[in-house]
Amino acid sequence: AQSVSQHNHHVILSEAASLELGCNYSYGGTVNLFWYVQYPGQHLQLLLKYFSGDPLVKGIKGFEAEFIKSKFSFNLRKPSVQWSDTAEYFCAVKGYNTDKLIFGTGTRLQVFP
Amino acid sequence: NAGVMQNPRHLVRRRGQEARLRCSPMKGHSHVYWYRQLPEEGLKFMVYLQKENIIDESGMPKERFSAEFPKEGPSILRIQQVVRGDSAAYFCASSPPTSGRNLYEQYFGPGTRLTVT
């Protein structure tokens, strides 16, 4: 069955700490991968996406993610988090020939000053 | 350019009533998607529509749920005879007409939080 697993449900960090959020997917075939962020009280916004080419993808606000095909992973990273990064982060996968996104359960990140 | 708009933002219904959720896609977008987020779960795909057509409804419950995207006006997700288990956040997303399957992204609205009492 197609699925996305986000291992960390709740992450608490201090400002300037490094961040890595795990995402693994189960999907047969070519995929497109996405990370969305939902800040408190706001709608989901796209952080970054992978379609093809360089497996290291850079997104907005200093985030990046690396697609490792052999591990079916698309982990999100940021070298130094800020208080304003406090939000919920969702990993999603889309099959190449479909239009629906399959989401993970999300990771709630809290960053303390 | 206004984003995806959803209304109402919060909706309270008693068991057995009908719920109507509306979604206006971004300007120029002709594809609409509905997702449901149950408490402590991720977003689950429900249905994908283009103007006047349902393209993929594989995530829609078989009964009580329907969706439409008429030629004019917003997309409507309709839930008849609501039950407590329908309480969730319902998100709409839109995307532009695609020239290639790897060239688009979905833009999300703020969601409608449905509470069934």
Side-chain angles (χ1 to χ4, degrees), chain A residues 4-6 8-9 21-23 33-39 42-49 74 76 87-93 101-109, chain B residues 36-38 40-44 89 91 108 113:
Chain A
V4 176
S5 296
Q6 291 183 244
N8 317 102
H9 296 292
L21 301 183
C23 173
L33 295 154
F34 305 80
W35 275 97
Y36 281 86
V37 61
Q38 187 173 29
Y39 297 104
Q42 297 188 26
H43 58 276
L44 273 81
Q45 301 171 41
L46 184 69
L47 263 184
L48 47 78
K49 58 188 177 185
F74 190 56
L76 181 71
E88 189 145 18
Y89 293 80
F90 294 93
C91 180
V93 65
L101 294 174
I102 299 169
F103 282 87
T105 51
T107 297
R108 186 168 299 168
L109 172 65
Chain B
R36 176 168 64 173
Q37 185 179 28
L38 294 168
E40 305 302 318
E41 295 187 19
L43 283 77
K44 295 280 197 293
F91 291 93
F108 281 80
R113 276 169 173 72

Side-chain angles (χ1 to χ4, degrees), chain A residues 32 34 36 38 41-46 49 51-52 88 90 94 96-106 108, chain B residues 9 31 33 35 37 40-45 48 55-56 58 91 101-111 113:
Chain A
N32 302 140
F34 305 80
Y36 281 86
Q38 187 173 29
Q42 297 188 26
H43 58 276
L44 273 81
Q45 301 171 41
L46 184 69
K49 58 188 177 185
F51 285 121
S52 62
E88 189 145 18
F90 294 93
K94 182 183 84 67
Y96 187 73
N97 290 318
T98 74
D99 295 278
K100 60 186 180 188
L101 294 174
I102 299 169
F103 282 87
T105 51
R108 186 168 299 168
Chain B
R9 295 290 305 274
H31 300 200
Y33 313 80
Y35 294 84
Q37 185 179 28
E40 305 302 318
E41 295 187 19
L43 283 77
K44 295 280 197 293
F45 169 80
Y48 162 39
I55 307 302
D56 180 352
S58 58
F91 291 93
R101 285 194 176 275
N102 61 336
L103 295 176
Y104 83 95
E105 64 182 79
Q106 294 181 19
Y107 297 80
F108 281 80
R113 276 169 173 72

Side-chain angles (χ1 to χ4, degrees), chain B residues 8-96:
Chain B
R9 295 290 305 274
H10 300 274
L11 182 61
V12 179
R13 284 287 177 265
R14 292 201 185 111
R15 277 181 297 172
Q17 291 185 318
E18 179 179 285
R20 278 184 179 237
L21 288 63
R22 286 176 290 278
C23 169
S24 296
M26 286 180 71
K27 189 175 181 181
H29 287 194
S30 55
H31 300 200
V32 165
Y33 313 80
W34 285 93
Y35 294 84
R36 176 168 64 173
Q37 185 179 28
L38 294 168
E40 305 302 318
E41 295 187 19
L43 283 77
K44 295 280 197 293
F45 169 80
M46 298 181 76
V47 63
Y48 162 39
L49 309 103
Q50 295 177 18
K51 285 282 187 183
E52 300 184 282
N53 283 305
I54 296 175
I55 307 302
D56 180 352
E57 56 181 348
S58 58
M60 286 281 267
K62 294 285 185 279
E63 297 176 348
R64 302 187 297 108
F65 285 71
S66 62
E68 62 177 11
F69 188 18
K71 190 176 178 182
E72 302 290 338
S75 175
I76 306 285
L77 179 68
R78 183 179 175 208
I79 312 172
Q80 295 178 292
Q81 299 174 330
V82 295
V83 300
R84 287 228 173 99
D86 297 332
S87 294
Y90 292 83
F91 291 93
C92 169
S94 72
S95 66

